[in-house]
Tab-separated table of all heavy atoms in Angstrom:
chain	number	residue	atom	x	y	z
A	91	LEU	N	32.539	-40.220	6.916
A	91	LEU	CA	33.787	-40.039	7.636
A	91	LEU	C	34.840	-39.514	6.669
A	91	LEU	O	34.939	-39.999	5.537
A	91	LEU	CB	34.238	-41.373	8.237
A	91	LEU	CG	35.321	-41.344	9.312
A	91	LEU	CD1	34.861	-40.548	10.523
A	91	LEU	CD2	35.679	-42.769	9.731
A	92	GLY	N	35.600	-38.528	7.094
A	92	GLY	CA	36.612	-37.961	6.222
A	92	GLY	C	37.919	-37.731	6.957
A	92	GLY	O	37.991	-37.821	8.182
A	93	SER	N	38.951	-37.456	6.190
A	93	SER	CA	40.251	-37.083	6.756
A	93	SER	C	40.672	-35.750	6.142
A	93	SER	O	40.789	-35.631	4.916
A	93	SER	CB	41.306	-38.148	6.470
A	93	SER	OG	42.587	-37.718	6.906
A	94	ASP	N	40.883	-34.776	6.993
A	94	ASP	CA	41.375	-33.473	6.543
A	94	ASP	C	42.900	-33.543	6.486
A	94	ASP	O	43.601	-33.034	7.358
A	94	ASP	CB	40.908	-32.380	7.508
A	94	ASP	CG	41.447	-31.007	7.130
A	94	ASP	OD1	41.910	-30.845	5.979
A	94	ASP	OD2	41.404	-30.096	7.990
A	95	HIS	N	43.403	-34.211	5.452
A	95	HIS	CA	44.850	-34.374	5.307
A	95	HIS	C	45.454	-33.002	5.016
A	95	HIS	O	44.991	-32.284	4.116
A	95	HIS	CB	45.164	-35.359	4.183
A	95	HIS	CG	46.484	-36.014	4.335
A	95	HIS	ND1	46.638	-37.233	4.960
A	95	HIS	CD2	47.730	-35.614	3.967
A	95	HIS	CE1	47.913	-37.564	4.965
A	95	HIS	NE2	48.600	-36.600	4.371
A	96	THR	N	46.492	-32.629	5.772
A	96	THR	CA	47.005	-31.256	5.758
A	96	THR	C	48.526	-31.228	5.749
A	96	THR	O	49.173	-32.020	6.437
A	96	THR	CB	46.488	-30.498	7.003
A	96	THR	OG1	45.054	-30.471	6.984
A	96	THR	CG2	47.006	-29.069	7.041
A	97	ASP	N	49.095	-30.295	4.993
A	97	ASP	CA	50.533	-30.083	4.950
A	97	ASP	C	50.936	-29.267	6.182
A	97	ASP	O	50.592	-28.085	6.300
A	97	ASP	CB	50.908	-29.335	3.662
A	97	ASP	CG	52.406	-29.174	3.482
A	97	ASP	OD1	53.069	-28.698	4.423
A	97	ASP	OD2	52.909	-29.506	2.391
A	98	ARG	N	51.676	-29.874	7.117
A	98	ARG	CA	51.962	-29.219	8.389
A	98	ARG	C	53.037	-28.141	8.289
A	98	ARG	O	53.082	-27.243	9.141
A	98	ARG	CB	52.363	-30.271	9.433
A	98	ARG	CG	51.303	-31.323	9.670
A	98	ARG	CD	49.977	-30.722	10.077
A	98	ARG	NE	48.916	-31.726	10.135
A	98	ARG	CZ	47.633	-31.439	10.367
A	98	ARG	NH1	47.255	-30.188	10.522
A	98	ARG	NH2	46.735	-32.407	10.400
A	99	VAL	N	53.896	-28.196	7.275
A	99	VAL	CA	54.882	-27.138	7.086
A	99	VAL	C	54.198	-25.888	6.548
A	99	VAL	O	54.384	-24.774	7.061
A	99	VAL	CB	56.013	-27.601	6.151
A	99	VAL	CG1	56.937	-26.435	5.812
A	99	VAL	CG2	56.810	-28.724	6.794
A	100	LEU	N	53.379	-26.071	5.526
A	100	LEU	CA	52.664	-24.942	4.930
A	100	LEU	C	51.632	-24.359	5.894
A	100	LEU	O	51.285	-23.174	5.814
A	100	LEU	CB	51.988	-25.389	3.630
A	100	LEU	CG	51.344	-24.311	2.756
A	100	LEU	CD1	52.338	-23.211	2.409
A	100	LEU	CD2	50.769	-24.935	1.499
A	101	GLU	N	51.147	-25.176	6.822
A	101	GLU	CA	50.135	-24.727	7.771
A	101	GLU	C	50.627	-23.550	8.620
A	101	GLU	O	49.848	-22.701	9.039
A	101	GLU	CB	49.727	-25.883	8.693
A	101	GLU	CG	48.501	-25.607	9.534
A	101	GLU	CD	48.034	-26.837	10.283
A	101	GLU	OE1	48.887	-27.677	10.656
A	101	GLU	OE2	46.819	-26.972	10.504
A	102	ALA	N	51.935	-23.495	8.864
A	102	ALA	CA	52.500	-22.392	9.643
A	102	ALA	C	52.469	-21.080	8.868
A	102	ALA	O	52.597	-20.000	9.451
A	102	ALA	CB	53.939	-22.721	10.044
A	103	VAL	N	52.284	-21.177	7.535
A	103	VAL	CA	52.227	-19.991	6.686
A	103	VAL	C	50.783	-19.601	6.394
A	103	VAL	O	50.386	-18.439	6.533
A	103	VAL	CB	52.983	-20.248	5.361
A	103	VAL	CG1	52.890	-19.030	4.445
A	103	VAL	CG2	54.424	-20.622	5.645
A	104	SER	N	49.980	-20.586	5.988
A	104	SER	CA	48.570	-20.349	5.657
A	104	SER	C	47.794	-21.633	5.874
A	104	SER	O	48.061	-22.642	5.209
A	104	SER	CB	48.420	-19.895	4.201
A	104	SER	OG	47.059	-19.941	3.798
A	105	ILE	N	46.825	-21.618	6.778
A	105	ILE	CA	46.033	-22.812	7.055
A	105	ILE	C	45.239	-23.220	5.828
A	105	ILE	O	45.191	-24.398	5.461
A	105	ILE	CB	45.112	-22.582	8.265
A	105	ILE	CG1	45.947	-22.386	9.534
A	105	ILE	CG2	44.161	-23.758	8.438
A	105	ILE	CD1	45.140	-22.082	10.770
A	106	GLN	N	44.621	-22.252	5.159
A	106	GLN	CA	43.806	-22.578	3.993
A	106	GLN	C	44.650	-23.196	2.878
A	106	GLN	O	44.263	-24.191	2.269
A	106	GLN	CB	43.074	-21.342	3.473
A	106	GLN	CG	42.085	-21.656	2.359
A	106	GLN	CD	41.134	-20.508	2.072
A	106	GLN	OE1	41.304	-19.412	2.578
A	106	GLN	NE2	40.128	-20.765	1.260
A	107	LYS	N	45.833	-22.623	2.633
A	107	LYS	CA	46.709	-23.177	1.591
A	107	LYS	C	47.180	-24.578	1.964
A	107	LYS	O	47.287	-25.455	1.110
A	107	LYS	CB	47.910	-22.259	1.366
A	107	LYS	CG	47.562	-20.960	0.649
A	107	LYS	CD	48.796	-20.095	0.455
A	107	LYS	CE	48.440	-18.799	-0.264
A	107	LYS	NZ	49.627	-17.922	-0.445
A	108	SER	N	47.462	-24.804	3.262
A	108	SER	CA	47.954	-26.117	3.696
A	108	SER	C	46.908	-27.202	3.501
A	108	SER	O	47.236	-28.374	3.310
A	108	SER	CB	48.363	-26.055	5.169
A	108	SER	OG	47.239	-25.954	6.023
A	109	LYS	N	45.632	-26.820	3.537
A	109	LYS	CA	44.549	-27.772	3.322
A	109	LYS	C	44.282	-27.971	1.827
A	109	LYS	O	43.946	-29.068	1.380
A	109	LYS	CB	43.284	-27.293	4.032
A	109	LYS	CG	43.434	-27.225	5.554
A	109	LYS	CD	42.163	-26.739	6.223
A	109	LYS	CE	42.330	-26.662	7.736
A	109	LYS	NZ	42.639	-27.953	8.354
A	110	GLN	N	44.446	-26.891	1.060
A	110	GLN	CA	44.149	-26.941	-0.365
A	110	GLN	C	45.138	-27.806	-1.137
A	110	GLN	O	44.802	-28.349	-2.190
A	110	GLN	CB	44.144	-25.512	-0.938
A	110	GLN	CG	43.916	-25.399	-2.433
A	110	GLN	CD	42.557	-25.918	-2.894
A	110	GLN	OE1	41.571	-25.805	-2.184
A	110	GLN	NE2	42.507	-26.490	-4.092
A	111	VAL	N	46.356	-27.993	-0.626
A	111	VAL	CA	47.370	-28.742	-1.387
A	111	VAL	C	47.294	-30.247	-1.155
A	111	VAL	O	48.073	-30.990	-1.762
A	111	VAL	CB	48.800	-28.250	-1.059
A	111	VAL	CG1	48.967	-26.798	-1.445
A	111	VAL	CG2	49.141	-28.476	0.403
A	112	CYS	N	46.384	-30.704	-0.303
A	112	CYS	CA	46.282	-32.140	-0.014
A	112	CYS	C	44.908	-32.680	-0.383
A	112	CYS	O	43.889	-32.024	-0.135
A	112	CYS	CB	46.532	-32.419	1.471
A	112	CYS	SG	48.196	-32.027	2.036
A	113	PRO	N	44.843	-33.898	-0.951
A	113	PRO	CA	43.550	-34.533	-1.193
A	113	PRO	C	42.799	-34.745	0.119
A	113	PRO	O	43.407	-34.827	1.196
A	113	PRO	CB	43.928	-35.875	-1.837
A	113	PRO	CG	45.300	-35.664	-2.380
A	113	PRO	CD	45.961	-34.723	-1.433
A	114	LYS	N	41.477	-34.854	0.021
A	114	LYS	CA	40.628	-35.033	1.194
A	114	LYS	C	39.859	-36.356	1.081
A	114	LYS	O	38.778	-36.426	0.490
A	114	LYS	CB	39.624	-33.881	1.323
A	114	LYS	CG	40.276	-32.511	1.433
A	114	LYS	CD	41.120	-32.381	2.675
A	114	LYS	CE	41.700	-30.977	2.777
A	114	LYS	NZ	43.065	-30.968	3.289
A	115	PRO	N	40.408	-37.435	1.652
A	115	PRO	CA	39.739	-38.741	1.581
A	115	PRO	C	38.413	-38.740	2.348
A	115	PRO	O	38.302	-38.130	3.422
A	115	PRO	CB	40.748	-39.686	2.235
A	115	PRO	CG	42.069	-38.996	2.113
A	115	PRO	CD	41.742	-37.548	2.263
A	116	ILE	N	37.435	-39.432	1.792
A	116	ILE	CA	36.160	-39.634	2.488
A	116	ILE	C	35.737	-41.096	2.323
A	116	ILE	O	36.150	-41.782	1.395
A	116	ILE	CB	35.030	-38.704	1.986
A	116	ILE	CG1	34.607	-39.064	0.558
A	116	ILE	CG2	35.440	-37.244	2.078
A	116	ILE	CD1	33.338	-38.342	0.118
Side-chain angles (χ1 to χ4, degrees):
L91 195 61
S93 174
D94 177 16
H95 205 94
T96 300
D97 185 309
R98 301 304 173 185
V99 173
L100 188 55
E101 191 172 32
V103 178
S104 168
I105 294 177
Q106 187 166 9
K107 288 180 180 179
S108 72
K109 296 180 181 299
Q110 177 63 34
V111 298
C112 295
K114 301 297 183 218
I116 68 170

